[in-house]
Amino acid sequence: MEGPVTYETHGDIGVIRIDNPPVNATSHAVRAGLIAAADAFAASPAKVAVLMAEGRTFVAGADITEFGKPPLEPHLPDVINRIEALEKPVVCVIHGTALGGGFEIALGSHYRVMITGAKIGLPEVNLGLIPGAGGTQRLPRLIGLVPACEIFTSARQVGAAECLKLGIADALSDKAPFEAGMDFARKILDEGLPVRRVSEMDVPPTDQDALQALTNRVAKANRGHVCHLKGIDVAIVGTQKPFAEGLKMERAAFWELMQSPQRAAMIHAFFAERKVANLPELKGVEPRPIGHVGVIGGGTMGSGIAVSCLLSGLRVTLIERNAETVEHAHNGIAKTLADSVKRGKLGADARDALLAEKLLCTDKYEKLAAADVVIEAVFESMEVKKDVFTKLDAICKPGAVLATNTSYLDINEIAAMTRRPQDVIGLHFFSPAHVMRLLEVVVAAKTAPEVVATGFALAKTLRKVPVRAGVCDGFIGNRILKTYRTAADIMVLEGASPFQVDKALVDFGFAMGPYAVADLAGLDIGYLTRQRLLPQRKPGERWGEWGDVLYEKGRLGRKTGHGHYIYDEASPKGRPDPEVEEIIAHERARKGIAPRSFTDAEIVERYMAAMINEGAKVVGEGIARRPMDVDVTLLYGYGFPRFRGGPMHYADQIGLAKVLATIEEAGKSGDLIWEPAPLLKQLVAEGRSFDSLNKD
Ligand code: 3H9
């Protein structure tokens, strides 16, 4: 047999081998090959078959690149049914990950062996889908409705040991897939194990209370998504019917979801996340070493960066000013690592080893002499940063990458303090740095390509999502944030309440609205930003000046129990504070603004239009490489709902002409944020989408 699936025999044992790099996705050729291999096995004298894959992993699922195109026969459910219907036993060997359709192939096999370290999962919900090749019907029959629904609604990867316990795996092996498969095939022959079809099993009894509790939890955790509850419904109703009918129901629901904008948005996010991390201009550019990272500053950001590096196995030298702040930083890092131990993310021994062997907190800059990468995370002041970089230039070894974590300062100016501006770069982490996945890699005018490549390599090591950004105030993310926050503030000035704005945006899909976020971050941050921007303000410019009143009244957000909301025992997550509305009403009166009402839809429309417009400016000016870089920034750093794909993808979905019309209408107020982006105007005039710029 030719192609990505082959069949061969070894005595009584047939071997079906899938070889479709990089991840053995079930492309059309693989599906057709599996049918041919199943037929070949059926016709051959072999008494048992091993189904396995070559390369780094078993099958990672359906070929996502085929989604959105007309489906070609044979369809995966039919392929799996064909394998399951074989009259001779088939054992599937899983190494790496068996995901989505890959795991569904394993469920259609009669036995499953997992190689140590292998994992299974049904991650379709991450793509706005449900399992569509029997996962919602076979898994509940194999292990019960509650654990099955938990697995496909969480999309989590389940390890080999847990699979054995759940009854998903029949055996574990630490051999190579071929040997492990041959061992189990011989066992089938020796013990006369029969064909065992999951589709013919009865669903184990269901704890209805546990099922209801799971459904409630899933509904709450996945507000706005349609696929999760659809999956549970299909699993419950389908498993009460004969298998073939359940499968039909699953297929119908899968195809309905396949046509949904949520599916398109989530698949856009999937590929965008991978594409932004692979810059074409860095192809063949070797990154510099990154084994030893220096961090300057042990505040929240510096400590978070240190923890992130430690958890990825890097050596960290953290610099603070004096013995007291050194100790404080060390304790902070130890506490965060202790929390990781508590949450089961890190063993206590591993934690102790990290603290003893990988971390040095000191006030001696000389200890950075051997560091490969140094990340400065001190106070946001140009003078302080210039001082740090002058010191680093004197101490660090030649070729060390000197990075600043500034969130808006001019990195060219910082680089100019050194005799090696080619080694200077921005690495903008998001707080908490050991949790948030976005890393803006800010490329200054003289940054060398290997230094950019090193920034991307570091992101990969830290399991972060890197986005290339150019230098401007706020880079990609904070620059866009400033604009859409201003749009929200202007709506509040014109008559909306902060609570209505938050609610409208939470209903749209954000985890929190901008005012609840501000309370969480601390209203002192917004105050300091406004103070900083004061000298640059243009005559007639409007912004949320009432925020200054909140700040002056000591309402700093959650940390003081009052911000936009009141936080107390009765409402730990906050309840609207009428006093805030009075402060805003006073501000409107002072400005002579007669308040008007806003609908929730109008709030979302304007907020999104401001975000998209600034996103288009950022792309047009080359600060972000492509619209998808803006999408990934907002998705991973700013809580943008993934099921909407990012602001630029969302803009394409609603239509750019409509976005421009909203901007022009809002712009009648004269507010500067509504100046339409030239790129947006151009795309509308040419009838093109943002996605047309994502291609390279
Ligand atoms: C499904 O199965 C539906 C069924 O229920 C029903 C069907 C009827 N297809 O992530 P990486 C590419 S839905 C096509 O960098 P890693 C990826 O773009 C599917 N391509 O590697 C990248 O390409 P490039 C359910 C895919 O080692 C390269 O492979 N399955 C697919 O960090 C390497 O990927 C999933 O959702 C695919 N399915 O992680 C699994 N998967 O090199 C999604 C990957 O050109 N995949 N590629 O940039 C993953 O989670 C990870 O890729 C995996 C490997 C864990 C497998």
Side-chain angles (χ1 to χ4, degrees):
M1 281 174 63
E2 300 247 320
V5 182
T6 54
Y7 177 71
E8 80 222 10
T9 50
H10 298 255
D12 283 344
I13 303 171
V15 176
I16 301 171
R17 215 184 278 264
I18 304 170
D19 189 4
N20 186 31
V23 293
N24 290 313
T26 60
S27 61
H28 176 248
V30 168
R31 299 194 304 273
L34 280 171
I35 292 275
D39 289 346
F41 167 53
S44 85
K47 299 195 172 96
V48 53
V50 172
L51 171 52
M52 56 167 289
E54 290 295 322
R56 68 195 220 221
T57 177
F58 188 71
V59 177
D63 187 339
I64 305 175
T65 58
E66 288 182 357
F67 286 6
K69 299 178 190 157
L72 292 176
E73 287 186 349
H75 304 306
L76 191 59
D78 302 330
V79 173
I80 295 172
N81 284 345
R82 171 76 187 104
I83 294 169
E84 195 188 43
L86 284 162
E87 302 287 347
K88 300 182 277 189
V90 178
V91 54
C92 178
V93 187
I94 298 170
H95 75 290
T97 42
L99 298 178
F103 179 43
E104 290 170 304
I105 291 175
L107 286 171
S109 305
H110 308 127
Y111 297 93
R112 285 155 293 279
V113 175
M114 291 178 73
I115 306 298
T116 314
K119 292 179 179 152
I120 62 92
L122 291 169
E124 285 85 349
V125 289
N126 287 341
L127 305 173
L129 293 168
I130 61 170
T136 67
Q137 302 303 304
R138 285 196 178 89
L139 192 57
R141 285 179 162 83
L142 186 63
I143 63 170
L145 263 169
V146 177
C149 291
E150 189 278 325
I151 287 174
F152 70 71
T153 53
S154 68
R156 76 183 171 98
Q157 294 188 1
V158 187
E162 189 182 346
C163 283
L164 189 68
K165 220 152 92 195
L166 283 168
I168 291 172
D170 298 290
L172 308 187
S173 170
D174 49 15
K175 293 191 177 165
F178 177 76
E179 278 75 31
M182 293 303 274
D183 282 356
F184 202 88
R186 278 185 215 106
K187 178 180 158 82
I188 291 176
L189 290 174
D190 293 349
E191 297 177 17
L193 298 181
V195 161
R196 194 191 55 174
R197 300 186 181 101
V198 175
S199 67
E200 292 170 359
M201 294 178 184
D202 292 328
V203 181
T206 303
D207 175 343
Q208 292 300 336
D209 290 344
L211 184 59
Q212 190 55 52
L214 174 76
T215 309
N216 296 345
R217 252 195 344 265
V218 168
K220 199 165 162 219
N222 300 287
R223 217 170 23 84
H225 292 253
V226 288
C227 55
H228 299 74
L229 292 183
K230 182 70 128 187
I232 295 183
D233 185 50
V234 165
I236 295 174
V237 181
T239 51
Q240 288 163 6
K241 297 175 186 283
F243 180 78
E245 274 181 51
L247 203 59
K248 226 161 130 187
M249 218 185 129
E250 178 194 80
R251 192 89 188 130
F254 178 82
W255 279 109
E256 189 187 314
L257 291 167
M258 188 63 104
Q259 314 309 321
S260 73
Q262 290 198 358
R263 191 279 302 162
M266 291 176 83
I267 285 182
H268 165 75
F270 177 88
F271 284 116
E273 174 190 334
R274 284 161 176 79
K275 270 200 191 152
V276 295
N278 284 320
L279 284 188
E281 66 263 31
L282 294 184
K283 228 181 171 131
V285 179
E286 273 300 306
R288 295 182 186 167
I290 50 174
H292 180 184
V293 177
V295 179
I296 321 271
T300 311
M301 189 51 97
S303 303
I305 295 170
V307 169
S308 180
C309 293
L310 288 170
L311 289 175
S312 301
L314 302 178
R315 218 177 117 200
V316 174
T317 300
L318 185 140
I319 308 292
E320 254 299 341
R321 278 161 302 166
N322 54 47
E324 199 183 317
T325 52
V326 164
E327 191 185 333
H328 186 258
H330 189 279
N331 291 346
I333 292 170
K335 184 176 176 306
T336 310
L337 291 178
D339 290 344
S340 295
V341 173
K342 248 190 244 158
R343 287 201 316 273
K345 303 250 176 223
L346 183 71
D349 291 351
R351 182 264 321 266
D352 294 345
L354 286 181
L355 288 173
E357 292 158 27
K358 296 271 186 185
L359 175 66
L360 172 69
C361 293
T362 171
D363 56 0
K364 298 188 177 50
Y365 263 78
E366 309 84 80
K367 298 282 182 194
L368 293 175
D372 298 312
V373 179
V374 180
I375 305 167
E376 162 282 308
V378 300
F379 184 64
E380 283 284 85
S381 141
M382 185 53 98
E383 290 322 303
V384 179
K385 304 233 181 218
K386 281 183 171 175
D387 182 46
V388 168
F389 274 78
T390 308
K391 282 194 185 120
L392 292 179
D393 192 28
I395 287 163
C396 292
K397 68 181 181 187
V401 170
L402 308 183
T404 169
N405 179 54
T406 181
S407 39
Y408 58 83
L409 292 173
D410 184 347
I411 300 176
N412 290 319
E413 207 178 320
I414 296 174
M417 296 312 292
T418 71
R419 288 159 299 170
R420 36 174 137 174
Q422 73 281 2
D423 294 340
V424 177
I425 193 167
L427 291 178
H428 183 211
F429 289 79
F430 289 73
S431 193
H434 62 291
V435 176
M436 294 293 285
R437 294 202 55 215
L438 179 65
L439 180 67
E440 277 181 312
V441 179
V442 191
V443 180
K446 295 189 176 160
T447 311
E450 317 89 76
V451 173
V452 182
T454 311
F456 276 77
L458 181 67
K460 191 165 184 202
T461 301
L462 302 182
R463 289 179 291 278
K464 302 222 175 281
V465 181
V467 174
R468 183 203 190 279
V471 175
C472 69
D473 192 307
F475 315 128
I476 301 177
N478 281 349
R479 173 168 160 183
I480 297 174
L481 164 72
K482 192 174 84 189
T483 303
Y484 66 77
R485 250 314 290 266
T486 303
D489 288 348
I490 290 174
M491 286 191 278
V492 169
L493 273 178
E494 289 183 347
S497 85
F499 317 117
Q500 188 196 359
V501 170
D502 277 357
K503 184 186 169 300
L505 293 163
V506 167
D507 289 348
F508 177 76
F510 283 93
M512 293 165 96
Y515 298 103
V517 170
D519 277 4
L520 189 63
L523 297 194
D524 40 338
I525 292 184
Y527 176 79
L528 291 174
T529 305
R530 288 190 297 276
Q531 290 298 306
R532 177 172 68 80
L533 295 174
L534 218 45
Q536 307 165 21
R537 299 281 188 198
K538 309 234 166 50
E541 194 176 334
R542 296 194 293 174
W543 69 94
E545 281 172 90
W546 40 271
D548 297 350
V549 182
L550 297 184
Y551 171 81
E552 280 150 15
K553 283 179 176 278
R555 307 177 62 114
L556 301 189
R558 283 199 184 201
K559 58 187 167 193
T560 58
H562 286 77
H564 295 93
Y565 296 82
I566 299 170
Y567 303 89
D568 55 18
E569 262 178 42
S571 54
K573 290 191 177 158
R575 65 176 187 278
D577 187 345
E579 199 191 327
V580 171
E581 304 216 58
E582 280 168 30
I583 292 169
I584 294 166
H586 190 262
E587 180 70 12
R588 286 184 196 125
R590 194 173 72 80
K591 288 193 147 65
I593 297 170
R596 70 171 178 96
S597 63
F598 280 79
T599 63
D600 288 3
E602 190 183 1
I603 288 171
V604 169
E605 204 171 66
R606 288 206 172 189
Y607 192 78
M608 287 309 306
M611 195 183 295
I612 294 160
N613 196 37
E614 195 65 33
K617 289 179 189 173
V618 159
V619 174
E621 292 168 24
I623 298 297
R625 228 169 158 276
R626 298 146 301 198
M628 70 179 162
D629 295 68
V630 172
D631 284 340
V632 172
T633 303
L634 271 292
L635 285 169
Y636 286 96
Y638 297 83
F640 194 93
R642 194 175 169 87
F643 66 83
R644 299 205 187 260
M648 313 311 265
H649 177 85
Y650 175 75
D652 279 348
Q653 285 197 335
I654 58 173
L656 299 195
K658 184 165 185 282
V659 176
L660 184 59
T662 302
I663 291 166
E664 284 170 349
E665 175 60 30
K668 289 182 182 158
S669 65
D671 290 302
L672 297 174
I673 56 163
W674 297 118
E675 181 64 37
L679 177 65
L680 179 61
K681 281 167 76 174
Q682 185 194 334
L683 290 175
V684 171
E686 294 172 0
R688 290 170 61 197
S689 64
F690 282 124
D691 196 44
S692 67
L693 304 174
N694 282 334
K695 302 301 173 204
D696 67 317

